[in-house]
């Protein structure tokens, strides 16, 4: 570094030099844990390091290579391609002739497409390259099964607040860190919480805050940090975990949980209209006929969110989520529809009974189309006595619950079954009570 070169960022200056300096990941590095056993043996196989940002995936890969005495080649899948893999392979071939092993570190391996990942396979399989891939995305979805089967997946965890706090204290005391800078206890507590387990974010914020005030205060931390946006990859597993948590909180009638996960999604940058569509689905799937108004309210919330945009429209989504969480629950429509689809997909394509067929022409009437059909308003008893399924087919698709408004539906359904002869003594009943207009 010359007089005119800027110093390396704090996170880079404090990068651990040995495995013992690594903060966190004790489930992998503690005594008797997976990586400790690997280092003790001196034999390192291919690995996929899966974890959130700022937990030390790159650092750990470098340290592992150093511990086993292997040559380290680092590539980023954002900018590298098959050509770079070929060059790394050629370099590994030269080094193998000298008796040295090569570790290829591929950051953000999930950004390599299938062809690029396949290009690695023969070299990993032959042992020419020991691959260490790093990813923030679930390898089950983003890494080819063939490559995944040749590498051991290790899950790295976000740092705890206590671990982040210790890292910040090290930054203030280590000569490589911020000598001469102090921070209040409140500032360290705040930054430990805001960092969300991301060491790089914590150190970067501390460095900026130290340029604003010495000692570092909660006010300078807040100014340096900016707006706190919860972590969420809008195309990754976290996104779908959040929508799952929202849906399940609504289903369990847990209002606070539903509002919390909704806020996490919207503050994390989720598309409000996507969230609105999922809320509409919740109304149809989990509320159903227990409260028919729920679907109408959710459609109105979707329209409001589209009309007003965020943040004003978000209030309508919050109203819908609270309504759904408090509403009685029924999945009877969801279950009945699934059974109907299964019956159609798994069964034969059976003809429509003649008496149910449309008969707009004389020829069709001559063929028996519509013959014997009993019009309900002329002959209720005969209408109920008719068969409305293909010949020989019996189904029991819909079973109403006793929840909310569906309790009324259940009573109506019981009378209909009786009238259709689907319960004991049903053949004797020809007329039932007139249903409410909105049934």
């Amino acid at each position: 570094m010359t007089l005119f070169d800027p110093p390396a960022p704090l996170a880079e200056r404090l990068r651990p030099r040995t495995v013992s300096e690594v903060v966190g990941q004790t489930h992998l590095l503690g005594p008797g844990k997976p990586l400790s056993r690997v280092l003790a043996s001196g034999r390192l196989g291919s690995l996929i390091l899966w974890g959130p940002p700022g937990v030390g995936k790159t650092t750990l890969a470098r340290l592992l290579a150093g511990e086993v005495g292997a040559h380290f080649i680092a590539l980023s899948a954002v900018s590298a391609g098959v050509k770079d893999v070929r060059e790394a392979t050629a370099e590994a071939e030269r080094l193998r002739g000298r008796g040295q092993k090569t570790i290829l570190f591929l950051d953000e391996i999930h950004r390599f497409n299938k062809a690029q990942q396949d290009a690695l396979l023969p070299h990993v399989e032959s042992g020419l390259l020991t691959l260490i891939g790093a990813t923030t995305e679930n390898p089950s979805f983003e890494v080819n099964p063939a490559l995944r089967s040749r590498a051991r997946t290790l899950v790295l965890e976000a740092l705890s607040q206590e671990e982040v706090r210790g890292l910040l204290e090290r930054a203030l005391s280590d000569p490589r860190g911020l000598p001469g800078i102090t921070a209040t206890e409140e500032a360290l507590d705040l930054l430990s919480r805001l960092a969300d387990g991301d060491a790089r974010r914590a150190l970067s914020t501390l460095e900026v805050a130290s340029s604003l005030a010495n000692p570092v205060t909660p006010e300078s931390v807040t100014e340096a940090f900016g707006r706190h946006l919860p972590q969420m990859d809008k195309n990754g597993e976290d996104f779908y975990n959040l929508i799952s948590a929202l849906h399940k909180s609504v289903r369990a009638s847990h209002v606070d949980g539903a509002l919390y996960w909704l806020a996490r999604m919207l503050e994390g940058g989720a598309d409000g209209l996507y969230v609105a569509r999922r809320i509409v689905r919740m109304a149809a799937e989990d509320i159903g006929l227990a409260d028919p108004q729920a679907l109408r309210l959710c459609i109105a919330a979707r329209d409001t969110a589209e009309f007003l945009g965020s943040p004003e429209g978000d209030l309508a989504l919050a109203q819908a989520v609270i309504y759904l969480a408090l509403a009685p629950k029924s999945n009877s429509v969801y279950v009945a529809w699934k059974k109907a689809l299964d019956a159609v997909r798994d069964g034969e394509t059976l003809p429509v009974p003649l008496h149910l067929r449309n008969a707009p022409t004389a020829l069709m009437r001559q063929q028996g189309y519509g013959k014997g059909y009993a019009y309900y308003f002329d002959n209720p008893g005969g209408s109920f006595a008719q068969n409305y399924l293909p010949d020989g087919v019996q189904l029991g698709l819909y079973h109403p619950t006793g929840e909310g408004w569906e309790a009324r539906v259940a009573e109506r359904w019981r009378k209909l079954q009786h009238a259709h002869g689907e319960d004991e003594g049903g053949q004797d009943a020809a007329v039932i009570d007139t249903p409410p207009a909105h049934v």
Side-chain angles (χ1 to χ4, degrees), residues 70-287:
H71 178 61
F72 188 80
I73 300 176
L75 297 177
S76 171
V78 174
S79 55
V82 173
K83 176 177 177 290
D84 300 281
V85 173
R86 289 198 189 104
E87 291 176 355
T89 302
E91 186 175 353
E93 287 277 15
R94 290 194 300 271
L95 292 172
R96 185 164 65 174
R98 304 175 192 169
Q100 187 171 16
K101 293 186 176 181
T102 298
I103 287 179
L104 173 63
F105 174 69
L106 186 57
D107 196 15
E108 300 194 76
I109 189 173
H110 60 276
R111 294 185 182 271
F112 255 21
N113 61 34
K114 183 179 185 302
Q116 291 170 316
Q117 291 185 29
D118 284 345
L120 293 168
L121 277 174
H123 311 300
V124 172
E125 195 165 42
S126 69
L128 174 64
L129 294 174
T130 297
L131 173 69
I132 300 182
T135 178
T136 57
E137 302 295 328
N138 191 327
S140 301
F141 306 132
E142 304 295 342
V143 179
N144 291 354
L147 190 57
R148 204 168 63 240
S149 69
R150 291 162 174 79
R152 183 178 183 182
T153 299
L154 298 178
V155 180
L156 278 70
E157 298 175 349
L159 274 62
S160 68
Q161 288 189 28
E162 292 75 16
E163 289 167 340
V164 173
R165 173 68 182 257
L167 186 61
L168 295 173
E169 291 173 347
R170 179 193 296 179
L172 296 173
S173 61
D174 193 307
R176 297 175 296 159
L178 298 170
I181 300 294
T182 60
T184 67
E185 295 294 315
E186 294 78 10
L188 294 178
D189 288 341
L190 175 62
L191 184 49
S192 299
R193 178 171 57 82
L194 291 177
D196 277 345
D198 185 330
R200 185 167 50 245
R201 177 190 289 185
L203 292 173
S204 299
T205 303
L206 178 63
E207 188 169 29
V208 174
S210 70
S211 68
L212 301 174
N214 187 13
V216 175
T217 63
E219 292 74 21
S220 61
V221 167
T222 301
E223 184 178 352
F225 196 88
R227 184 183 175 194
H228 179 223
L229 295 177
Q231 294 185 30
M232 183 186 73
D233 185 337
K234 287 183 277 187
N235 296 313
E237 183 191 11
D238 280 352
F239 178 82
Y240 296 102
N241 286 341
L242 288 172
I243 197 67
S244 175
L246 170 60
H247 195 152
K248 288 169 181 170
S249 298
V250 165
R251 183 181 291 149
S253 302
H254 198 294
V255 176
D256 286 351
L259 281 174
Y260 174 78
W261 298 118
L262 175 66
R264 280 278 299 272
M265 293 203 72
L266 295 179
E267 282 294 287
D271 179 6
L273 290 182
Y274 170 84
V275 177
R277 289 193 294 272
R278 293 299 298 250
I279 290 172
V280 170
R281 175 186 169 178
M282 295 173 204
E285 180 178 335
D286 292 309
I287 312 303

